Amino acid sequence: MAHWTAFEKETERETRRLIRCIGGVQDEEDQNFLLAHKFAWSNFRFHRYLDVDSHKVQRSVSGIHEKFLVHSDVRKAESWTRLTEEFLNSPLPNSEGAKSDAHYSVLSLLLFLSASPSNTDFTERPRLKEAEEEDSFDWAKYLREDVDDGPYPETPDWSEEESEDDEQQPISREDSGIQLDRTPQEDQDNNNNTEAPLTWTVGEPGARLWLEQHVVTPYWVGHAPRFPHSLHLHSNLLNVWDQHLYNTDPLYLPEEKAFVTETQVIRETLWLLSGVKKHFIFQHHDGKVSVRNNVVVTHLTPNCLRSVLEHVAVFGQAVFRLQRFIDEVTGHSSDPGPPGSGSGSSHGSSHGTKRGSEPPFRTYQAFVWALNRFFTGFKEELTTIEREIVCNDETVTLSAVLDRLNPQLAQIKVLHKVFCTGVAEVPPETPNVVRASHLLNTLYKAIIEYDSAGEASEQAVALLFSLWTETVRPYLEIVDEWIVHGHLFDPAKEFIIQRNKDVPVNHRDFWYATYTLYSVSEAVESEEKLSDAASGSSGGEQGAGSRQLTMVSFLKPVLKQIIMAGKSMQLLKNLDCKEAEQSERSSRDAERKSLYSLFLESVQSRLCSRDESPVDAAAEQRATRRSLIQMQAVISQHLQIQDVHDPLLAINFARLYLEQSDFHECFSGGGFNVDRSSQSVTCQTFELTLRCCLYPHIQRRYVECCGNLMRTLKKDYRLLGYLQAMRNYFLLEAGDTMYDFYTAIFDKVQEKESWQQLSFLNGQLQEAVGQRHPEDSSRLSIFLEPIDPARKKHPVNNLEVLTLGYKVPWPVDIVISSECQKIYNQVFLLLLQIKWAKYSLDTLRFSDFTDVTSKMADEEKPKEPIKQQIHRMCLLRVKLMHFVNSLHNYITTRILHSTGLEFQHQVQEAKDLDQLIKIHYRYLATIHDRCLLREKVSFVKEAIMKVLNLVLIFSDRWRAGVGAWKIESIDKMESDFKNCHMFLVTILNKAVCRGSFPHLESLALSLMAGFEQC
């Protein structure tokens, strides 16, 4: 039994003692003793009892500890916990390390033997450690041979002759009954022990053949020689299984097999995972890895070996696909790629580029660089394992190798899943922008998905996050170049925003048509271009309403800020302003960090802040238990106040809020207020990282760029002055200036003279503006537009031929565009028509009727007295004046003035140019709607126009005198005005009561005050 371990020897002795003690048989040669020994030894070595479950034992220990706490045995609970921890951490004979199976087995036995620990009186006794005996032997004299007897006098003297005799004695295992493992090689060595050792020399012809035959068995060739192996039953499981199949299946026919050793299987497994393509055990067919059918090992059944190798082949195929993608991309890169990067070029460039001449875009290059870094570390681990196999210092099995590589294989599975979804499934002719955004979205969603699994996928989240940070680098560099220098550098067109080179910077449509936002559908089958128009995010929002669109997900929260900052910076670079030059000089002189570097530093600081104070696990566990006891006492007091005596409920509440740091202070102080952040409950950790580490840097740059642009436009380019000029001339806020202009036109109309002449109109406009605002005289002009002849029947429509123009310089024309001037002109025309009607009524005189009465005395008597007719005309004039004045006051005060004050305040608060454009458009839309110019309320405008037209007709007949019109015309004018007045009052009252047009309330009340009941 010299080959047995000390544990086996001790087990053998104890087994014999057990049989003698229980069976009473003392003779070891007795047949009953041998049967009992065989039965006991077999059960000890090959028992079917389950090993002890350490988790169940730990739960039992924790349960007893809680039971002690429930029974208020705090000392007993502390002693129980401390003693069990000391036992689990103490060494045991025949076991290595702490908390081994032997520890838990003994502890489990004690738990089974215990009856009721909580009902036992226990007092811990102090234990004194046995002092180690000091060695009093004088080793110096013994080594100098001054003393003949050593420290152990009974030890027999050692002799070289006896040792040589022991070496010549054959090994015998007859006493144990276990078969001796003998290999054919050992038998051959015993038979030919006089054979001289073989030697070889490099120069000899048969040297290489000898080396191939004696170093490794050529198992990859047909009819390879069988390698020597043990004849033990465990080493010949394959033969036993074949014999079983032969005996049970009459149709079983043994097949020819290729025998390999487990070491050879391990090495080919390592080669497969390292990217080697030529194997014997594994075969490659069209990118798929399969296992050779006839490969067997002697100690495993074929099905068992095949199931393990097929599991390995799946990972080998994943490594092969990822390595081929790396080779395809790095084959076009100028950076040194991994070894064998050119081997994948023969497989085509399905993932790299659409045409072989084009290099792969930077997002794929960054993704490949991250993959290459992972595989470099993975191959180092494979090389380490292979070196251990070559050294042969310890036993290495296939199961142990796979267990060791299990974390890396799980990571390869995650990488392959991301690769298949983000790269392989994308059609070859897909644009680069779709490829890049889809890959980044895949990584983003994978991180969110694995992050939601919690601690079970920490390694996968860490791997994907490092992969994402490398892959996103080109995108962040493009964003950084754009928002810092105003240059969108994207030669491969992989960024979701593309520059339209047909529109120069100094064009008036620069802000609307310069950049195109690409939104990609989930199916990755089509592409939709959405112009960002006035807003950087308006295109994406409109597309999202009609269909589900995805762009680069992590940029969605700050996409508008990126677009605004980029366009603002590019506009600033082309403006001749001192502030832009100063900012450029300061950014050039200072050592500015890129957006990607700032992001990595923020991530690193965020991760380090979590690990600033590492605490010892045991100390932290003890502190947690002490906190649990304190919280239990506090909660028990609060429960007793409400007449609730439940210690288990107190423990559960204490454990529930154990992680709340300020719980003890808040709860014991009487004020129970648990602060739970909404972010920690609703948001994922990765999204929180982006909001804390990336978005603030983009937001800061956005505020800086857009603030500089707004200050430049307001200070150097008089943006506010031009907005005020538009309101002065188009909305008639410059009353005295525009009064001189339009009264000249109205006088021409009253005198029946021609006024539709450009020279006359522009002359009057320049004269009126030049007196008070000479800086705007060169910018204002009047144009005549043709109108429908049918509309000329109504006098009020004759003013529609007028169009006021104002030349706005660049870049102010980005805000005050030609479309804005069209809306301004519609309001200007309405105000001009109201002013015309008001001016016509205001210039009527009662003296026009003095001469008419004397002439009518000689003529025949009219149907109605003249004075009564004049009275009716005066009453109608007053009614019309009330109507026109009410409408005029509503437009000028309630609409234009109050809305203008609100607009001025919003302009001062605008943070970027896009917001200012929106404010301006909203202001124009508001006055357009409230002036009843919208198509939806056109019937109200028609009624008002009918009254204004009636005012002009009434003025003409007033000036013509009493004899120029008949009584019937007065009746008709009164009837028309009454009908229009009644219609407007009814419509406006309904609208006000319904609440749809609250701004019309003042107009409705004013018109109702002058309305007569018939």
Side-chain angles (χ1 to χ4, degrees):
M1 297 189 299
H3 67 287
W4 282 18
T5 63
F7 177 73
E8 291 176 339
K9 293 179 182 179
E10 185 177 359
T11 305
E12 173 70 15
R13 287 196 302 269
E14 296 298 331
T15 303
R16 293 178 182 275
R17 288 180 56 192
L18 180 66
I19 295 172
R20 286 195 295 269
C21 180
I22 297 179
V25 182
Q26 303 297 328
D27 186 9
E28 296 185 0
E29 300 297 333
D30 189 80
Q31 185 68 21
N32 293 328
F33 186 91
L34 293 177
L35 290 175
H37 178 271
K38 184 178 180 181
F39 173 78
W41 184 254
S42 175
N43 278 278
F44 285 155
R45 295 193 63 183
F46 310 109
H47 65 82
R48 297 183 180 180
Y49 300 109
L50 296 177
D51 293 338
V52 63
D53 190 350
S54 60
H55 299 286
K56 290 183 178 179
V57 175
Q58 194 65 43
R59 284 197 297 269
S60 300
V61 171
S62 301
I64 293 175
H65 177 264
E66 289 188 8
K67 187 177 293 185
F68 286 148
L69 292 179
V70 170
H71 290 274
S72 300
D73 293 336
V74 179
R75 292 184 178 179
K76 191 183 293 186
E78 293 179 354
S79 299
W80 169 257
T81 303
R82 188 180 66 259
L83 292 176
T84 52
E85 287 293 331
E86 289 180 359
F87 172 73
L88 291 175
N89 292 320
S90 61
L92 291 180
N94 301 324
S95 63
E96 296 180 359
K99 295 185 178 181
S100 62
D101 289 343
H103 289 83
Y104 285 105
S105 299
V106 174
L107 195 56
S108 177
L109 177 62
L110 294 176
L111 290 173
F112 285 134
L113 294 176
S114 63
S116 178
S118 59
N119 296 329
T120 304
D121 295 332
F122 173 77
T123 303
E124 185 177 357
R125 298 188 300 272
R127 292 179 297 168
L128 299 177
K129 294 185 178 180
E130 298 181 359
E132 297 182 358
E133 298 181 1
E134 296 183 358
D135 190 3
S136 60
F137 184 74
D138 192 352
W139 286 95
K141 292 182 178 181
Y142 178 73
L143 293 176
R144 288 195 304 266
E145 298 182 356
D146 295 341
V147 180
D148 295 335
D149 296 335
Y152 307 103
E154 299 178 357
T155 304
D157 295 336
W158 176 76
S159 173
E160 293 183 358
E161 296 178 357
E162 293 180 359
S163 63
E164 292 178 358
D165 295 340
D166 293 340
E167 292 178 358
Q168 294 177 0
Q169 291 180 0
I171 301 175
S172 176
R173 297 186 183 174
E174 295 179 358
D175 57 343
S176 62
I178 300 176
Q179 180 185 0
L180 175 65
D181 289 346
R182 304 182 65 88
T183 63
Q185 186 69 27
E186 293 175 353
D187 296 338
Q188 186 178 359
D189 293 341
N190 293 333
N191 296 332
N192 304 325
N193 52 8
T194 60
E195 184 177 351
L198 294 174
T199 59
W200 68 286
T201 310
V202 178
E204 295 181 359
R208 182 175 181 82
L209 179 62
W210 184 94
L211 182 64
E212 292 178 352
Q213 292 178 352
H214 289 78
V215 171
V216 62
T217 304
Y219 60 90
W220 54 87
V221 298
H223 305 285
R226 292 283 298 272
F227 55 88
H229 66 281
S230 175
L231 299 178
H232 194 274
L233 178 63
H234 297 165
S235 300
N236 291 273
L237 185 59
L238 177 64
N239 295 334
V240 175
W241 181 252
D242 285 345
Q243 186 66 33
H244 170 71
L245 294 179
Y246 181 79
N247 295 333
T248 57
D249 187 1
L251 301 179
Y252 174 72
L253 179 64
E255 299 178 355
E256 184 178 358
K257 301 179 179 62
F259 287 87
V260 294
T261 63
E262 187 170 1
T263 303
Q264 293 167 352
V265 174
I266 295 173
R267 298 191 70 178
E268 290 221 4
T269 299
L270 298 178
W271 297 340
L272 175 68
L273 296 178
S274 62
V276 179
K277 298 178 182 178
K278 293 184 179 181
H279 308 275
F280 173 71
I281 299 178
F282 301 97
Q283 296 175 327
H284 288 265
H285 298 288
D286 298 331
K288 296 183 179 180
V289 180
S290 59
V291 183
R292 191 181 293 271
N293 293 325
N294 60 343
V295 175
V296 294
V297 293
T298 59
H299 59 284
L300 290 177
T301 62
N303 292 336
C304 178
L305 177 64
R306 185 172 184 82
S307 63
V308 175
L309 294 182
E310 285 180 350
H311 176 68
V312 175
V314 173
F315 294 102
Q317 182 174 336
V319 171
F320 174 72
R321 293 190 67 184
L322 292 172
Q323 188 64 51
R324 184 173 66 177
F325 173 65
I326 293 174
D327 295 341
E328 289 175 359
V329 175
T330 54
H332 298 280
S333 178
S334 58
D335 298 334
S341 59
S343 60
S345 59
S346 60
H347 298 279
S349 57
S350 59
H351 309 305
T353 55
K354 293 182 286 186
R355 293 180 294 274
S357 60
E358 295 181 359
F361 52 95
R362 291 187 292 169
T363 302
Y364 269 18
Q365 292 182 16
F367 179 63
V368 164
W369 173 250
L371 288 178
N372 196 28
R373 285 181 54 188
F374 169 78
F375 278 108
T376 300
F378 179 61
K379 290 177 182 178
E380 290 177 357
E381 178 68 17
L382 297 179
T383 305
T384 302
I385 297 175
E386 191 167 6
R387 286 175 180 171
E388 294 177 359
I389 296 174
V390 173
C391 294
N392 201 18
D393 292 335
E394 57 183 13
T395 303
V396 180
T397 62
L398 181 60
S399 176
V401 171
L402 294 181
D403 288 342
R404 183 173 175 178
L405 295 176
N406 188 51
Q408 290 90 337
L409 295 180
Q411 292 178 344
I412 290 176
K413 183 178 180 181
V414 173
L415 293 178
H416 185 254
K417 180 181 178 181
V418 170
F419 167 76
C420 292
T421 306
V423 178
E425 295 179 359
V426 181
E429 297 300 324
T430 306
N432 290 340
V433 60
V434 181
R435 290 168 173 263
S437 59
H438 183 63
L439 175 59
L440 292 174
N441 281 342
T442 302
L443 287 171
Y444 181 84
K445 294 177 181 178
I447 294 175
I448 298 298
E449 177 183 356
Y450 283 99
D451 193 22
S452 61
E455 298 179 357
S457 58
E458 285 184 354
Q459 293 184 351
V461 172
L463 173 67
L464 290 173
F465 183 73
S466 63
L467 198 69
W468 182 85
T469 53
E470 289 288 346
T471 308
V472 83
R473 181 171 187 170
Y475 252 62
L476 295 184
E477 288 178 350
I478 293 173
V479 172
D480 182 65
E481 179 70 19
W482 191 25
I483 65 179
V484 172
H485 301 290
H487 176 50
L488 185 61
F489 180 74
D490 184 22
K493 295 183 178 181
E494 58 185 304
F495 195 54
I496 57 174
I497 302 171
Q498 298 293 323
R499 174 76 162 88
N500 185 9
K501 297 182 180 180
D502 297 334
V503 181
V505 181
N506 57 357
H507 196 271
R508 62 186 180 90
D509 293 334
F510 162 77
W511 199 261
Y512 312 101
T514 309
Y515 294 97
T516 302
L517 175 64
Y518 286 78
S519 296
V520 185
S521 63
E522 282 288 354
V524 201
E525 296 176 352
S526 61
E527 170 188 358
E528 183 174 349
K529 296 181 180 180
L530 297 173
S531 175
D532 54 341
S535 171
S537 59
S538 61
E541 292 171 357
Q542 292 173 359
S546 59
R547 48 185 283 192
Q548 185 63 31
L549 297 173
T550 60
M551 54 192 72
V552 182
S553 302
F554 78 97
L555 286 182
K556 278 185 179 180
V558 289
L559 184 62
K560 177 186 176 183
Q561 286 83 345
I562 292 174
I563 296 175
M564 291 301 103
K567 291 196 293 188
S568 300
M569 198 65 205
Q570 186 171 5
L571 191 59
L572 270 175
K573 291 294 182 180
N574 289 270
L575 294 178
D576 299 330
C577 57
K578 298 179 180 180
E579 190 169 358
E581 294 176 358
Q582 291 176 359
S583 62
E584 181 180 0
R585 189 180 302 110
S586 62
S587 63
R588 184 171 57 249
D589 296 339
E591 294 181 358
R592 189 189 64 85
K593 294 182 179 180
S594 64
L595 178 63
Y596 182 73
S597 301
L598 293 173
F599 170 62
L600 290 185
E601 290 180 0
S602 301
V603 171
Q604 186 176 5
S605 63
R606 176 178 172 82
L607 295 179
C608 290
S609 63
R610 295 181 177 181
D611 304 330
E612 283 181 355
S613 56
V615 184
D616 181 67
E620 184 178 1
Q621 191 173 6
R622 288 193 295 269
T624 301
R625 286 171 180 163
R626 286 195 298 268
S627 300
L628 182 61
I629 295 172
Q630 294 177 0
M631 290 182 186
Q632 179 198 357
V634 172
I635 295 177
S636 298
Q637 295 177 2
H638 281 264
L639 293 177
Q640 289 175 3
I641 294 175
Q642 300 179 1
D643 199 17
V644 177
H645 302 277
D646 193 341
L648 286 177
L649 184 62
I651 291 177
N652 289 329
F653 270 113
R655 178 176 295 142
L656 179 63
Y657 296 105
L658 187 60
E659 297 180 358
Q660 192 72 23
S661 60
D662 58 344
F663 168 78
H664 182 71
E665 300 176 1
C666 295
F667 206 67
S668 60
F672 180 62
N673 184 15
V674 179
D675 182 16
R676 294 184 178 270
S677 174
S678 61
Q679 292 182 350
S680 63
V681 176
T682 60
C683 300
Q684 301 292 339
T685 306
F686 179 56
E687 295 172 342
L688 275 175
T689 303
L690 291 180
R691 283 204 296 269
C692 298
C693 303
L694 178 61
Y695 299 160
H697 301 297
I698 298 177
Q699 182 72 20
R700 193 177 304 114
R701 189 60 195 170
Y702 154 76
V703 172
E704 181 181 353
C705 293
C706 296
N708 291 339
L709 179 61
M710 292 300 295
R711 285 191 295 270
T712 302
L713 292 178
K714 293 177 181 179
K715 179 180 177 181
D716 298 342
Y717 289 88
R718 297 181 55 249
L719 174 62
L720 300 180
Y722 288 114
L723 290 174
Q724 184 61 44
M726 296 298 293
R727 291 167 41 227
N728 286 340
Y729 306 125
F730 287 85
L731 305 184
L732 306 183
E733 288 191 6
D736 49 355
T737 301
M738 297 307 293
Y739 180 82
D740 296 341
F741 166 66
Y742 60 72
T743 53
I745 300 176
F746 299 158
D747 292 339
K748 284 275 188 180
V749 175
Q750 291 179 2
E751 294 173 2
K752 307 298 182 180
E753 296 180 2
S754 177
W755 60 272
Q756 297 182 3
Q757 298 175 2
L758 286 176
S759 58
F760 165 73
L761 295 173
N762 283 300
Q764 291 294 327
L765 182 62
Q766 296 298 327
E767 182 180 356
V769 175
Q771 293 177 1
R772 299 175 179 87
H773 305 281
E775 68 278 1
D776 292 329
S777 59
S778 60
R779 299 187 180 278
L780 279 170
S781 58
I782 283 287
F783 303 96
L784 293 177
E785 299 290 341
I787 62 173
D788 188 6
R791 297 183 60 83
K792 293 183 179 180
K793 297 179 180 180
H794 304 287
V796 74
N797 294 333
N798 291 331
L799 292 178
E800 293 181 359
V801 299
L802 295 177
T803 300
L804 184 61
Y806 187 84
K807 295 179 181 179
V808 183
W810 182 85
V812 183
D813 59 352
I814 297 176
V815 180
I816 308 174
S817 60
S818 57
E819 291 78 8
C820 296
Q821 292 203 24
K822 291 180 180 178
I823 302 177
Y824 275 116
N825 264 298
Q826 294 181 16
V827 180
F828 170 72
L829 181 59
L830 175 64
L831 292 175
L832 211 60
Q833 290 171 335
I834 297 174
K835 292 287 186 181
W836 189 12
K838 188 175 186 305
Y839 183 79
S840 299
L841 291 175
D842 291 341
T843 55
L844 296 180
R845 298 291 180 264
F846 292 105
S847 60
D848 296 337
F849 295 113
T850 55
D851 300 332
V852 176
T853 55
S854 59
K855 295 179 181 179
M856 295 296 295
D858 300 334
E859 299 177 1
E860 61 181 66
K861 186 176 181 181
K863 298 181 180 179
E864 188 175 356
I866 297 176
K867 290 184 179 182
Q868 188 175 357
Q869 295 180 14
I870 295 174
H871 180 68
R872 291 177 61 184
M873 290 287 288
C874 293
L875 289 178
L876 183 58
R877 175 180 179 245
V878 172
K879 294 176 183 178
L880 293 175
M881 287 185 67
H882 178 269
F883 179 90
V884 173
N885 288 332
S886 299
L887 181 62
H888 180 267
N889 291 334
Y890 164 76
I891 296 294
T892 56
T893 59
R894 183 73 176 93
I895 304 301
L896 299 182
H897 180 68
S898 59
T899 310
L901 293 177
E902 183 181 356
F903 170 67
Q904 292 177 6
H905 176 71
Q906 292 176 351
V907 168
Q908 295 294 338
E909 297 294 330
K911 296 181 180 180
D912 56 59
L913 186 57
D914 187 73
Q915 188 177 357
L916 179 61
I917 293 173
K918 285 184 176 180
I919 292 172
H920 188 227
Y921 269 108
R922 194 181 306 119
Y923 166 68
L924 292 179
T926 301
I927 62 175
H928 184 268
D929 292 347
R930 294 184 178 180
C931 289
L932 307 176
L933 296 175
R934 194 168 53 172
E935 194 68 27
K936 187 177 180 180
V937 291
S938 59
F939 57 92
V940 180
K941 182 191 173 185
E942 290 178 1
I944 293 175
M945 289 297 106
K946 191 172 183 180
V947 174
L948 296 180
N949 190 65
L950 183 63
V951 168
L952 297 179
I953 296 175
F954 173 80
S955 300
D956 289 341
R957 294 184 178 179
W958 180 288
R959 292 187 181 90
V962 180
W965 33 267
K966 299 180 181 180
I967 298 300
E968 290 78 5
S969 61
I970 299 177
D971 296 337
K972 187 175 186 309
M973 285 189 293
E974 289 178 344
S975 175
D976 292 342
F977 174 71
K978 184 177 181 180
N979 292 334
C980 293
H981 200 176
M982 183 185 301
F983 171 75
L984 288 173
V985 168
T986 305
I987 292 297
L988 294 178
N989 281 333
K990 289 183 178 179
V992 170
C993 294
R994 192 165 56 245
S996 54
F997 301 99
H999 55 277
L1000 293 174
E1001 183 177 0
S1002 61
L1003 179 61
L1005 294 176
S1006 179
L1007 295 181
M1008 189 181 298
F1011 181 69
E1012 289 183 354
Q1013 298 292 338
C1014 296

